[in-house]
Structure formats: C-alpha cells, structure tokens
Amino acid sequence: SPPPPRHPIIEFMYQKNVLRGDIFRNAKFWCTYDPTRAGIQQLKYTQIKQRLERIVSQDQEKTDIIIPSDVHKFSLEEFPGYKGSDVFFLQYPPHLRIQRHQLSGLCYMHAPAVVQYYGLCKNNIPNPQMIDLLDIIRNHFTQTELERYIFEDVG
C-alpha cells in the first residue's frame, strides 16, 4: 500500500527511520495515522498515535504549583511519622515539591528525573528545573528505543 499522507507524526517516524526494514511499515504507519484502520487493534494504535503526538508537539513539559484535586498530595500533616530526613522531599516547601504525571509506561525515566530535581533542591540550586523527558525521547532515543517506546510503550 502507498505511504500515508504527510502528517507530523508520520514525518517524524520517517526522519528517525522508525521501522526501517519492516515489511509491514506502511501498514503500521497507516494504522498509526488512522487507528480506525487497525481493526481489533484500534485501541493499541490510538495509544501509539497519542504517544507520537506528545513527542512531535513542540511543547515543553508543563509545570504547575497547583496539584489537581484527583492527584494524591503528600504532606507532613498526612504522614506525621515521616518527619525525619528519610523522606527528604517532604522537608521542602510546597512550592518546591513536584510530581510527574505519567502518561505511559516509562516509570524508569520518571523516577531518575524526580531524583535529579530533588538533588538540585538538596544542593540549594536556585530555581531547579525538571529534565525535559519529551526532549530526550525526541532528540536522543535511538531508532530501536523509539520503536519500543512508540509501539510497545516500553524503553
């Protein structure tokens, strides 16, 4: 079948040589472009497309000091037994506490990003910044890492 129409997610995959050499490349690209073509795998390809749309968006990761009401909040009041230094993130003022919203199965990337952020806080680095995981995925993943992330939701 012919390749799917030009679209940022398709162009990104071609630029990064995703699925190069796969005999089903065009079919997989079509299903990614239009998940309704995937039949019983429509949900899988909808999730694939969502991952790709996050990657190709030029947005930076978002930060906000307001935690949504449906997200668990950690506080010394809630965990009075953890007032020692063993739970170091609770020792920081609320405006320095962070949480990652994990939209896919990449906890192996989120955890080090959070630890790195708190390491900056612990060493009194002013205005610590969170590592931009989308930038790392977009610009530093190898072809194989991208394929595994995009199509299998693993690293």
Side-chain angles (χ1 to χ4, degrees):
S1 68
R6 293 177 62 101
H7 187 277
I9 62 173
I10 302 301
E11 290 182 10
F12 175 81
M13 289 194 293
Y14 278 122
Q15 289 169 0
K16 298 293 186 173
N17 291 315
V18 171
L19 300 178
R20 183 184 65 217
D22 186 318
I23 61 172
F24 299 109
R25 184 183 202 187
N26 278 350
K28 290 177 181 178
F29 281 14
W30 266 109
C31 290
T32 301
Y33 174 75
D34 179 8
T36 62
R37 291 175 166 253
I40 62 172
Q41 291 190 316
Q42 182 174 347
L43 176 61
K44 174 185 175 179
Y45 278 92
T46 298
Q47 293 167 339
I48 289 168
K49 185 175 184 178
Q50 290 170 346
R51 279 192 290 279
L52 273 164
E53 287 172 339
R54 283 193 302 273
I55 294 171
V56 301
S57 75
Q58 292 305 308
D59 294 340
Q60 295 262 324
E61 292 190 338
K62 299 183 179 33
T63 58
D64 198 335
I65 60 170
I66 299 171
I67 299 174
S69 61
D70 62 340
V71 174
H72 184 81
K73 297 161 192 65
F74 298 94
S75 69
L76 288 172
E77 296 76 33
E78 184 179 6
F79 298 102
Y82 293 104
K83 291 197 187 250
S85 63
D86 55 332
V87 186
F88 65 92
F89 70 90
L90 291 177
Q91 307 303 318
Y92 295 112
H95 72 279
L96 287 178
R97 295 184 196 149
I98 59 159
Q99 292 183 322
R100 303 269 325 160
H101 184 185
Q102 184 175 326
L103 297 174
S104 57
L106 296 177
C107 58
Y108 75 95
M109 288 181 67
H110 290 282
V114 170
V115 170
Q116 180 269 348
Y117 172 86
Y118 281 125
L120 295 175
C121 292
K122 191 171 179 106
N123 288 291
N124 298 314
I125 303 298
N127 302 315
Q129 298 297 308
M130 176 65 68
I131 293 173
D132 186 347
L133 294 179
L134 287 177
D135 178 68
I136 291 172
I137 294 168
R138 185 183 307 122
N139 297 310
H140 302 286
F141 268 28
T142 66
Q143 173 192 347
T144 302
E145 291 167 335
L146 273 172
E147 289 171 1
R148 292 192 70 212
Y149 170 68
I150 293 167
F151 290 96
E152 300 170 36
D153 196 22
V154 295

